[in-house]
Amino acid sequence: MFRITTLCENTATFGALAEFGLSMLVETDGARFLLDTGMTRVAADNARTLGVSLQNLDAIVLSHGHVDHTGGLAAVLELTGPVRVVAHPDIFTPRFSGSRPAPHDDIRMPLSREAYEQMGARFELSREPVAFAPGCFTTGEVAMTSDFESIDDRLTAEMDGRRMQDPLRDDLSVAVRTSAGLVVLSGCAHRGAVNTIEQLRTVTGERRLRAIAGGLHLSRASADRIARTVEFLRKADPETVACAHCTGLTAMGALAAAFGVRFRPCHSGTVLNLSGV
């Protein structure tokens, strides 16, 4: 069994931040984990509506410290009880959607580490890859190796007492090893979809890409970056490409054209079943 249930998703950019964010429940024969928790209570409420249990998780993995991926953590913890939360040490860094103070530009995690720990979060913070369940790995810090991917320069963080461009060192993705190759789960891939996949290939030693799901942060990318990302994925030849959130409609159209029936938008309520293991 390999099932991915999208509990919540939106296709907005930070210029018009929607309230639902991204959250995906991943279930295999050997593991159950949640990637991100959305922005509000929506992921938790949708789990109830779908009849999906969030108990007995191996972990919650937080892909990065933006509120649309972490803001629903408190509501999710009400359903999980005490649970391991895997993330990067920068996850609590103050984050902003612009370079200057403005109304509603604060996009950090809404609560403190201590507050979440009182609710049952057991944080495991690491800059290195983490094997958090059988066959399941985080990227660790993603190396910027491709010559066409860059970090969104509109996103800033408060470091050393001043606001600067956010390096998004905490941007994590997950790979699950299967007999047919890696299944890659991405929150946003702020440091580049290609960089992320190559990082996970290095971490796992597996070159084959079976599937990729989640956000690829191409909503404001150039036509060249979109084309080169699609070409990279086409050569990797996954059986499934299931993207939405910050991927953007232009990139989703290009992926749909390249992959045909192998492409699926992973909107709220989408259940993706991969055959075999």
Side-chain angles (χ1 to χ4, degrees):
M1 178 189 73
F2 199 120
R3 180 167 58 236
I4 303 168
T5 304
T6 303
L7 298 180
C8 69
E9 180 275 336
N10 71 280
T11 55
T13 66
F14 279 107
L17 187 64
E19 66 169 313
F20 300 142
L22 182 70
S23 179
M24 296 188 293
L25 175 66
V26 181
E27 299 171 282
T28 76
D29 288 332
R32 293 183 82 245
F33 67 91
L34 194 66
L35 177 65
D36 292 336
T37 62
M39 186 170 182
T40 64
R41 296 192 58 89
V42 172
D45 291 345
N46 283 351
R48 290 190 183 96
T49 299
L50 294 168
V52 173
S53 173
L54 296 185
Q55 295 184 339
N56 300 315
L57 297 179
D58 290 285
I60 297 172
V61 178
L62 298 179
S63 66
H64 59 297
H66 286 158
V67 66
D68 57 327
H69 294 257
T70 63
L73 179 58
V76 166
L77 289 171
E78 294 174 7
L79 301 182
T80 63
V83 64
R84 183 183 185 190
V85 180
V86 178
H88 185 281
D90 289 354
I91 196 78
F92 294 103
T93 298
R95 271 29 197 278
F96 307 92
S97 59
S99 60
R100 297 179 179 178
H104 313 300
D105 78 333
D106 192 323
I107 55 173
R108 77 184 84 186
M109 288 184 73
L111 301 178
S112 67
R113 174 174 181 169
E114 292 74 16
Y116 289 119
E117 287 176 335
Q118 289 177 3
M119 298 174 191
R122 301 196 301 265
F123 286 100
E124 181 176 344
L125 305 181
S126 176
R127 301 179 187 278
E128 302 300 321
V130 174
F132 61 89
C136 300
F137 307 85
T138 65
T139 51
E141 291 187 6
V142 175
M144 300 293 293
T145 57
S146 74
D147 62 358
F148 64 91
E149 293 180 308
S150 60
I151 299 168
D152 192 333
D153 61 8
R154 298 169 302 129
L155 302 176
T156 57
E158 187 176 300
M159 298 179 177
D160 300 323
R162 64 187 181 91
R163 192 179 293 199
M164 62 184 68
Q165 183 178 345
D166 192 347
L168 280 156
R169 290 185 295 258
D170 61 327
D171 182 66
L172 305 180
S173 293
V174 170
V176 181
R177 192 196 304 272
T178 76
S179 61
L182 299 178
V183 177
V184 172
L185 294 310
S186 169
C188 275
H190 278 290
R191 293 175 73 86
V194 173
N195 289 331
T196 295
I197 292 167
E198 292 291 17
Q199 177 86 11
L200 288 167
R201 284 172 163 173
T202 298
V203 168
T204 63
E206 171 62 75
R207 297 292 302 174
R208 296 172 299 163
L209 179 65
R210 180 178 183 181
I212 183 167
L216 302 185
H217 207 70
L218 296 170
S219 58
R220 292 178 178 266
S222 67
D224 177 69
R225 177 171 173 175
I226 291 172
R228 294 176 73 175
T229 301
V230 171
E231 178 60 14
F232 174 89
L233 290 173
R234 189 190 64 77
K235 290 180 178 178
D237 198 30
E239 67 182 58
T240 301
V241 176
C243 298
H245 189 52
C246 57
T247 305
L249 295 178
T250 299
M252 288 172 67
L255 289 165
F259 289 96
V261 297
R262 289 186 287 168
F263 175 81
R264 289 185 61 187
C266 55
H267 297 312
S268 297
T270 299
V271 179
L272 175 66
N273 288 291
L274 301 180
S275 59
V277 294

